[in-house]
Amino acid sequence: MDLCDRSKRAVVGFRRKEDGSLLIFGLFCFVMMLFLAGAALDLMRFEERRTTLQNTIDRAVLAAADLHQTLPPKDVVKDYFLKAGLTPPSDADIVINQGNFNEWRTVQANVREEMPTWFMNMVGVNSLSTPGSGTAEERVGQVEVSLVLDVSGSMNSGSRLTNLKPAASSFIDQMFDTVEPGKLSVSIVTYSTQVALGTGMLQYFHNTAEQTASTCLEFTTADYSTRTLSPKSTPVGSPAASSDRQYQLNGHFEPFNTITNTSSSWLPNCPTETNRRILAYSGSRTALKAYIAALTAKGNTSIDIGMKWGVGLLDPSMAPVVTRMIAAGTVPSAFSERPYAYTNREALKVVVIMTDGENTTEYQLRDAYDHGLSRLYRNTSNNSAVTSGVKRYSLYDATRSSNKYYSFYTNAWRAAPFGANASDYTGDNTDTYVQMTWPEVWSAMSVNYFADYIISPIYGSTERNRWRTSASNATATTSIASTKDAQTLAICSAAKQQGIKVFTIGFDAPSAGQSLLLSCATSQAHTYAATGSSIASVFSSIASSINKLRLTH
């Protein structure tokens, strides 16, 4: 076999052999796996960069949109990027929109970064674009606030009332500064032993109307388990409908002192001063601040009644009243849909309730003594000899067989009241008598005065004690622990169930009061304790919380 034949056979043999044929394919696959791993690494770097960028944008626009932010919004956005080690967006990529009164602000930022690739450039992809955008808005929509303030006598202690006034006034300013005009309504409820409506508000409620001096309504225990109030369904001046609830009108009486109505210490259970009436659905910063500046403090503490009115004024059951108040010109027409339905997500309903104490005694006249003719007769003479002390009065006693009228002028039992006879008092030709109604009795003298100076001289101390306020024939008291605290918590719970935000402030309050407020508040973060001038910072913090910040994208 020559050399040529051997060469041919070697070539044919090499061609038929398959040893090592997968090596090249394996090398090819290995290179592709390295490339795909590199591409995955590039994509991981891209996603990490994009996430960092988006998180930075979100934080930046949130901070810039804050209405309490004092730095220029664009500077705030750029500062967040620089501190994160990122290239800040240009001025053109940061869009700021805000209200003329700084009541709302929207901040939008758009940014795009080019990230060089490490592996994908081998196939012509030299960089990946990392986009990011975000918008944040602080805009308080429709806001309804009930500001419920304790003005009981203990608020005169130290400088509590003095410190409260500028703090509450500043709260009003802060709210109006951060809410668009026409979107904020504020009701102020001042409470002590009772809550006075004033004749303007009372006319919208069907009541027992035994007298015209008191404008406080009484609630039953069941009332505190519901947010609703029950105003008249008929127009002002029209008779109430048969289906309208008739509220018991709280009596006009003085349960605290042993005095007559001529005393400077006269303290009716239901306040009668103009500055103690509910100021409902106000959109006037000026009116609200003037009301706060005129506050005075006296009386016991009924947190439950204050809270009931604060919640009730936010409840849609009061919408017919708002409609009538708008027609009467006492409420702005912009409030025509208030109180908004609880399902309206644009409306924020808030109660801010403050107390410096805890629930104390609440007084109510018993049914037999809140209306109708009394046992007391009054001589009509204006002569000082007759009008001195109790001399003008005669008391009737039906249990006596004869001489059923005791005259304090003659200090004797008589067949008729003093003034019935021409000879009773010859110094006054107009000398006569009238039978007083029970409301007239309580308008002239306190319950304790009646006990001490009318009952006691005739019947003695045992009967007198039965008439005194602590265990009175005439008045009923509501206990603190078993009733009023439970009623407070019931109305707080009813409010929170419908999403009403409840902020509470214990202003130098005792532990029992603080504990009640903590249970009443929406959460522990919604309850505050204040002492002295720190009440101002508490109100400011609550105002800031109300003006919620919302991230819209």
Side-chain angles (χ1 to χ4, degrees):
M1 182 179 299
D2 59 15
L3 179 61
C4 182
D5 290 336
R6 287 198 299 271
S7 298
K8 286 181 180 181
R9 295 175 69 178
V11 169
V12 170
F14 177 78
R15 185 180 63 187
R16 291 177 177 175
K17 283 188 177 181
E18 296 182 357
D19 294 348
S21 62
L22 293 178
L23 179 61
I24 296 176
F25 179 73
L27 289 173
F28 174 78
C29 289
F30 177 71
V31 171
M32 291 302 298
M33 290 174 62
L34 288 177
F35 173 76
L36 291 175
L41 183 60
D42 280 338
L43 292 175
M44 289 174 60
R45 291 174 53 234
F46 167 80
E47 183 59 26
E48 185 273 335
R49 191 71 169 178
R50 189 197 65 79
T51 302
T52 300
L53 187 65
Q54 189 62 53
N55 289 341
T56 303
I57 291 176
D58 288 345
R59 292 195 301 270
V61 295
L62 277 170
D66 186 355
L67 293 177
H68 299 288
Q69 176 63 254
T70 58
L71 297 174
K74 290 188 177 183
D75 290 350
V76 172
V77 173
K78 292 178 180 180
D79 186 62
Y80 267 78
F81 274 80
L82 291 172
K83 289 181 176 177
L86 301 172
T87 302
S90 65
D91 286 347
D93 289 328
I94 306 173
V95 180
I96 309 296
N97 291 299
Q98 57 188 17
N100 294 330
F101 301 96
N102 195 40
E103 71 276 10
W104 62 273
R105 180 186 298 159
T106 300
V107 178
Q108 181 179 7
N110 299 295
V111 67
R112 181 179 296 273
E113 283 195 356
E114 295 296 324
M115 186 194 76
T117 59
W118 290 347
F119 294 93
M120 297 175 70
N121 57 4
M122 292 186 293
V123 292
V125 181
N126 297 320
S127 65
L128 293 174
S129 181
T130 309
S133 66
T135 302
E137 178 184 60
E138 182 171 274
R139 178 196 297 266
V140 179
Q142 301 291 351
V143 181
E144 302 172 26
V145 177
S146 285
L147 184 58
V148 185
L149 302 177
D150 182 348
V151 288
S152 59
S154 57
M155 283 295 293
N156 288 317
S157 176
S159 301
R160 290 178 189 173
L161 188 61
T162 301
N163 287 323
L164 171 66
K165 291 181 179 182
S169 183
S170 179
F171 171 83
I172 297 298
D173 276 333
Q174 194 169 340
M175 290 304 304
F176 275 88
D177 286 342
T178 54
V179 180
E180 294 175 73
K183 292 190 174 183
L184 171 66
S185 62
V186 179
S187 299
I188 300 182
V189 178
T190 54
Y191 70 95
S192 52
T193 315
Q194 254 287 355
V195 171
L197 279 67
T199 54
M201 180 64 71
L202 183 65
Q203 65 182 330
Y204 300 113
F205 293 87
H206 182 35
N207 63 85
T208 50
E210 296 91 353
Q211 38 76 32
T212 58
S214 165
T215 61
C216 299
L217 299 181
E218 295 178 359
F219 295 112
T220 65
T221 297
D223 287 327
Y224 292 94
S225 296
T226 177
R227 298 164 297 276
T228 60
L229 293 169
S230 300
K232 289 171 56 178
S233 61
T234 56
V236 173
S238 302
S242 59
S243 58
D244 288 341
R245 172 179 175 177
Q246 186 180 44
Y247 285 94
Q248 174 63 51
L249 189 65
N250 189 245
H252 179 61
F253 66 106
E254 214 281 14
F256 302 102
N257 304 294
T258 308
I259 54 177
T260 65
N261 64 359
T262 60
S263 171
S264 60
S265 300
W266 182 257
L267 181 55
N269 190 66
C270 177
T272 57
E273 300 93 335
T274 302
N275 62 358
R276 294 292 292 274
R277 301 170 182 172
I278 287 176
L279 178 57
Y281 309 114
S282 177
S284 169
R285 179 199 306 245
T286 301
L288 290 162
K289 292 176 66 174
Y291 179 93
I292 291 169
L295 290 178
T296 56
K298 60 181 79 172
N300 281 5
T301 304
S302 291
I303 303 172
D304 54 341
I305 301 178
M307 188 65 184
K308 173 62 181 178
W309 277 109
V311 172
L313 292 174
L314 299 177
D315 191 82
S317 61
M318 285 294 286
V321 172
V322 173
T323 299
R324 291 168 191 157
M325 294 177 77
I326 291 173
T330 57
V331 164
S333 58
F335 294 168
S336 60
E337 298 181 38
R338 295 172 190 251
Y340 288 99
Y342 294 114
T343 54
N344 188 327
R345 302 180 72 113
E346 292 299 317
L348 176 64
K349 296 175 183 282
V350 178
V351 173
V352 181
I353 183 166
M354 181 279 298
T355 185
D356 74 329
E358 55 190 317
N359 279 316
T360 53
T361 306
E362 175 194 345
Y363 298 102
Q364 300 173 357
L365 287 174
R366 298 186 191 277
D367 291 342
Y369 302 98
D370 68 353
H371 68 284
L373 294 172
S374 73
R375 295 171 53 193
L376 201 63
Y377 290 74
R378 178 176 61 84
N379 188 286
T380 60
S381 172
N382 291 322
N383 191 285
S384 60
V386 176
T387 60
S388 176
V390 296
K391 289 184 177 182
R392 68 160 66 243
Y393 298 112
S394 299
L395 185 69
Y396 175 73
D397 188 344
T399 64
R400 292 179 60 85
S401 58
S402 62
N403 293 332
K404 297 184 178 184
Y405 298 88
Y406 185 88
S407 168
F408 289 92
Y409 187 85
T410 61
N411 293 322
W413 288 98
R414 296 161 45 98
F418 177 60
N421 304 317
S423 60
D424 279 345
Y425 183 68
T426 58
D428 190 337
N429 293 330
T430 63
D431 190 37
T432 184
Y433 72 89
V434 293
Q435 184 178 7
M436 302 175 70
T437 64
W438 280 116
E440 288 173 337
V441 171
W442 307 132
S443 292
M445 65 189 72
S446 69
V447 176
N448 285 347
Y449 187 93
F450 183 85
D452 287 11
Y453 292 96
I454 301 297
I455 297 298
S456 183
I458 304 173
Y459 302 105
S461 60
T462 299
E463 185 65 14
R464 176 203 65 187
N465 291 339
R466 292 178 56 192
W467 279 88
R468 287 187 66 83
T469 304
S470 59
S472 176
N473 286 355
T475 61
T477 61
T478 303
S479 64
I480 300 169
S482 64
T483 304
K484 293 183 74 65
D485 282 359
Q487 290 175 169
T488 302
L489 294 178
I491 187 60
C492 291
S493 177
K496 291 183 288 187
Q497 285 173 4
Q498 279 294 355
I500 296 175
K501 302 300 181 185
V502 180
F503 293 87
T504 63
I505 306 173
F507 187 24
D508 290 328
S511 57
Q514 293 279 12
S515 177
L516 182 66
L517 293 179
L518 177 60
S519 298
C520 177
T522 294
S523 70
Q524 187 171 357
H526 289 73
T527 189
Y528 295 79
T531 58
S533 60
S534 71
I535 188 74
S537 62
V538 166
F539 270 113
S540 178
S541 178
I542 292 174
S544 297
S545 297
I546 294 173
N547 299 329
K548 298 187 300 181
L549 192 64
R550 301 194 299 254
L551 181 62
T552 59
H553 290 89

